[in-house]
Amino acid sequence: MRSFDVRLFCFVAMTMLMLGALPFSSDAQLDPSFYKNTCANVHSIVREVIRNVSKSDPRMLGSLMRLHFHDCFVQGCDASILLNSTSTIVSEQGAGPNNNSIRGLDVVNQIKTAVENACPGVVSCADILALAAEISSVLAHGPDWKVPLGRRDSLTANFTLANQKLPAPTFNLSQLISTFANQSLNITDLVALSGAHTIGRAQCRFFSSRLYNFSNTGNPDPTLNTTYLQTLRSICPNGGPGNTLTNLDLTTPDTFDNKYFSNLQSLNGLLQSDQELFSTVGASTLSIVNSFSSNQTLFFEAFKASMIKMGNIGVLTGSQGEIRKQCNFVNGNSGLATFATRVESSEEQGVSSA
């Protein structure tokens, strides 16, 4: 194993050891066994719903992972992304990174109904999102981890922060690093979590500028493989509909593996924010991409650690927030909705804006 691989492995191993030895949250003591005495079967209930949905819609696995990410980066992992607009709440679903983009809201509602039938008033929607992300990874043949549980649901959403806090698919490396650092996530977390783009799809509108007019040059992105460029141009003609879909991982689009990183090495990253991790001159992320490409186990271990770390951002616990009865509304306010859950659209990007 190369010296950098050894250092990275030691860093990941130490992170996992610390996660196992210390409370899962400084505020909250999130605990994988939180529901042991109140809803012991919650994991299997969530898994069964997702397994059934993914049989006909394998893309949903990437969508659910992305939903957890888009929740945590706004005001913490509190299920605020699920709240619909009401007379007192402006939904995050209408924010730029989410509008006509996020998917899986109806599936979360199906899960919540199944969980409420078994354990009424016990399991939060925030924990359902965290469990759904882990289960989606496993069903896509990716890693599993013990999900720290005990989050509670927010009483508010934040449309403004949803527009400000989520990384865009056109971000350069400096912008990506800064956005993740604002969440106390480092460059290893950035690269590992970006690896969730090994499954899912993206709409043409999120990368078409790379094909025709990169950075207003009138030319394609020079870091895009020319063969891949022609393939993408056939899928996304200039001036065509922006909602056409293509795979985030052109190699194994529905399998959670490390092919995402070998795609970057071949200049076959779909989004600018993906390829920046490898192609930025002098990038601090380059050696991590190379290590994950050559060692899937190393990637999986880093991904698990980063997902647990992300899942601890800004959690509500104890008497904070509430356990929503319906994930789309705070308790007692479902009658005030101004519109129902937004129509699901067809793009999931695991990490950047999955």
Side-chain angles (χ1 to χ4, degrees), residues 161-207:
L161 287 184
N163 278 315
Q164 296 174 348
K165 295 280 191 177
L166 291 163
T170 54
F171 270 11
N172 62 35
L173 184 59
S174 294
Q175 291 171 309
L176 291 169
I177 291 173
S178 175
T179 300
F180 275 68
N182 287 339
Q183 304 291 348
S184 297
L185 298 172
N186 58 37
I187 62 168
T188 300
D189 299 317
L190 165 61
V191 179
L193 292 172
S194 295
H197 283 185
T198 185
I199 58 175
R201 313 286 188 272
Q203 296 178 36
C204 292
R205 63 190 174 103
F206 289 108
F207 58 87

Side-chain angles (χ1 to χ4, degrees), residues 342-353:
R342 288 183 172 268
V343 175
E344 304 284 276
S345 86
S346 48
E347 190 271 336
E348 71 271 1
Q349 300 175 43
V351 172
S352 73
S353 350

Side-chain angles (χ1 to χ4, degrees), residues 96-114:
N98 297 328
N99 190 33
N100 294 320
S101 173
I102 56 169
R103 302 176 71 240
L105 301 174
D106 58 335
V107 177
V108 173
N109 288 339
Q110 290 178 46
I111 295 169
K112 180 63 170 174
T113 297

Side-chain angles (χ1 to χ4, degrees), residues 36-350:
K36 180 180 179 181
N37 297 320
T38 55
C39 195
N41 294 328
V42 61
H43 189 280
S44 60
I45 294 170
V46 177
R47 186 184 188 279
E48 186 63 15
V49 174
I50 297 174
R51 187 183 66 83
N52 286 333
V53 170
S54 66
K55 287 178 182 178
S56 58
D57 185 6
R59 293 175 43 233
M60 187 54 65
L61 303 178
S63 299
L64 291 171
M65 296 182 75
R66 181 175 181 243
L67 201 55
H68 180 45
F69 175 89
H70 276 227
D71 181 43
C72 292
F73 262 56
V74 176
Q75 59 179 24
C77 306
D78 61 0
S80 61
I81 195 172
L82 303 178
L83 289 172
N84 284 1
S85 284
T86 68
S87 60
T88 58
I89 291 173
V90 180
S91 177
E92 295 170 17
Q93 296 164 26
N98 297 328
N99 190 33
N100 294 320
S101 173
I102 56 169
R103 302 176 71 240
L105 301 174
D106 58 335
V107 177
V108 173
N109 288 339
Q110 290 178 46
I111 295 169
K112 180 63 170 174
T113 297
V115 171
E116 285 293 305
N117 287 340
C119 317
V122 172
V123 180
S124 69
C125 300
D127 276 346
I128 286 174
L129 287 177
L131 286 167
E134 186 270 343
I135 290 165
S136 294
S137 171
V138 173
L139 291 176
H141 308 290
D144 66 285
W145 58 94
K146 292 182 178 179
V147 180
L149 299 169
R151 299 167 190 80
R152 289 171 65 85
D153 299 323
S154 71
L155 302 175
T156 62
N158 198 315
F159 176 87
T160 300
L161 287 184
N163 278 315
Q164 296 174 348
K165 295 280 191 177
L166 291 163
T170 54
F171 270 11
N172 62 35
L173 184 59
S174 294
Q175 291 171 309
L176 291 169
I177 291 173
S178 175
T179 300
F180 275 68
N182 287 339
Q183 304 291 348
S184 297
L185 298 172
N186 58 37
I187 62 168
T188 300
D189 299 317
L190 165 61
V191 179
L193 292 172
S194 295
H197 283 185
T198 185
I199 58 175
R201 313 286 188 272
Q203 296 178 36
C204 292
R205 63 190 174 103
F206 289 108
F207 58 87
S208 60
S209 63
R210 297 188 72 204
L211 312 183
Y212 301 101
N213 188 25
F214 182 67
S215 298
N216 294 316
T217 61
N219 297 309
D221 186 344
T223 68
L224 186 58
N225 181 294
T226 54
T227 301
Y228 191 35
L229 169 64
Q230 296 309 315
T231 299
L232 292 176
R233 281 181 165 179
S234 68
I235 297 169
C236 306
N238 197 11
N243 59 357
T244 303
L245 292 170
T246 192
N247 297 323
L248 282 162
D249 178 346
L250 81 166
T251 310
T252 53
D254 294 319
T255 300
F256 196 105
D257 54 24
N258 66 339
K259 295 297 188 292
Y260 166 83
F261 299 104
S262 58
N263 289 337
L264 300 186
Q265 291 173 321
S266 302
L267 306 185
N268 287 326
L270 181 64
L271 305 176
Q272 178 184 345
S273 57
D274 292 326
Q275 197 59 53
E276 290 278 337
L277 302 178
F278 182 81
S279 294
T280 302
V281 176
S284 54
T285 52
L286 176 60
S287 54
I288 304 174
V289 170
N290 289 336
S291 293
F292 289 168
S293 176
S294 63
N295 189 332
Q296 181 167 281
T297 299
L298 186 64
F299 164 48
F300 278 14
E301 290 302 309
F303 184 78
K304 292 191 289 186
S306 295
M307 286 295 287
I308 292 172
K309 188 176 178 181
M310 184 187 77
N312 281 339
I313 296 172
V315 294
L316 303 175
T317 58
S319 61
Q320 299 172 317
E322 66 181 9
I323 305 298
R324 290 184 209 143
K325 296 177 181 178
Q326 295 176 268
C327 289
N328 300 127
F329 308 105
V330 297
N331 293 340
N333 283 349
S334 60
L336 301 179
T338 57
F339 62 91
T341 300
R342 288 183 172 268
V343 175
E344 304 284 276
S345 86
S346 48
E347 190 271 336
E348 71 271 1
Q349 300 175 43

